[in-house]
């Protein structure tokens, strides 16, 4: 007999990771599809995917609009390994530099640039991690409609309020 309440549970040792994806260079739709395929091959099975959402750049000026999506990936990999694998996918797809706090503007803010692909870990199970290069939940996702909107599309029980800046 199956337990209907067990349908949302994942098997032992399998983690639920929500990843945010964005692209504003090249064929954005093809870039997102390729990233999703590579995540499925290297990180774990992609079990849910939001629709693609076109948005303005956030945090910098550019003539290139973004295409964004959120996926749910089932993985047996640890958070640090997921970070390393997604960063390698970014590099393999042509991303040359990560927009992280090591590249600050003179006002102390992260410097963002156009990119063929950006992959961010949004949520990893219910974990909270606060390390210099790995922060889960993603610390800026509440401020980003291009993350929250597609995340709500695939995560019914999302309990995060958006913060307008």
């Amino acid at each position: 007999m199956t337990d209907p309440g067990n349908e949302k549970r994942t098997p032992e040792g399998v983690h639920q990771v929500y990843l945010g994806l964005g692209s504003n260079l090249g064929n954005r739709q093809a870039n997102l599809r390729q990233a999703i395929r590579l995540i499925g091959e290297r990180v774990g099975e992609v079990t849910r995917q939001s629709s693609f959402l076109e948005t303005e750049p956030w945090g910098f000026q550019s003539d290139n609009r973004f295409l964004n999506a959120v996926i749910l990936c089932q993985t047996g990999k640890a958070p640090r390994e997921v970070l390393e694998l997604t960063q390698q996918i970014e590099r393999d797809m042509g991303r040359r530099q990560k927009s992280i706090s090591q590249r600050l503007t003179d006002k102390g803010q992260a410097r963002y640039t156009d990119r063929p692909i950006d992959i961010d870990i949004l949520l990893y199970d219910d974990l909270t991690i606060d390390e210099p290069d790995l922060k889960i939940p993603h610390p800026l996702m509440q401020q980003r409609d291009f993350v929250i909107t597609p995340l709500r599309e695939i995560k019914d029980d999302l309990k995060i309020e958006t913060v307008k800046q």
Side-chain angles (χ1 to χ4, degrees):
M1 184 162 115
T2 29
D3 173 11
N6 195 28
E7 290 176 19
K8 287 193 137 187
R9 293 187 196 145
T10 54
E12 188 73 30
V14 176
H15 305 281
Q16 292 192 34
V17 182
Y18 286 88
L19 300 171
L21 296 91
S23 173
N24 81 328
L25 288 179
N27 184 331
R28 301 168 304 159
Q29 195 169 87
N31 289 344
L32 291 181
R33 286 198 171 102
Q34 180 182 3
I36 292 166
R37 181 182 57 77
L38 292 171
I39 290 165
E41 291 172 4
R42 299 179 191 181
V43 178
E45 181 184 2
V46 176
T47 57
R48 297 202 72 185
Q49 175 188 324
S50 73
S51 53
F52 293 167
L53 176 67
E54 189 172 37
T55 62
E56 294 295 328
W58 186 93
F60 72 105
Q61 296 294 317
S62 175
D63 293 334
N64 304 313
R65 291 174 57 90
F66 272 85
L67 205 56
N68 297 284
V70 171
I71 60 172
L72 170 59
C73 180
Q74 307 288 332
T75 187
K77 301 187 183 328
R80 169 79 41 203
E81 191 174 2
V82 172
L83 176 66
E84 291 167 358
L85 289 167
T86 56
Q87 288 178 340
Q88 184 60 52
I89 291 168
E90 289 176 334
R91 287 189 297 274
D92 291 348
M93 291 184 62
R95 180 137 186 206
R96 298 293 166 237
Q97 54 193 357
K98 190 74 175 163
S99 303
I100 55 175
S101 57
Q102 284 89 355
R103 300 183 56 244
L104 298 178
T105 65
D106 55 356
K107 294 182 181 177
Q109 299 171 326
R111 185 178 313 242
Y112 297 102
T113 60
D114 292 321
R115 47 210 176 264
I117 193 67
D118 183 40
I119 305 169
D120 291 328
I121 301 172
L122 304 175
L123 301 166
Y124 183 107
D125 292 338
D126 293 325
L127 284 182
T128 298
I129 298 174
D130 188 6
E131 297 174 5
D133 64 337
L134 179 60
K135 297 190 184 306
I136 301 173
H138 191 288
L140 298 175
M141 72 180 180
Q142 293 179 349
Q143 299 171 20
R144 298 173 169 179
D145 287 340
F146 64 87
V147 171
I148 294 297
T149 299
L151 182 57
R152 279 200 169 111
E153 185 181 327
I154 65 170
K155 185 169 175 45
D156 302 330
D157 61 346
L158 185 64
K159 293 178 178 65
I160 293 176
E161 296 299 317
T162 57
V163 177
K164 295 289 180 191
Q165 292 257 324

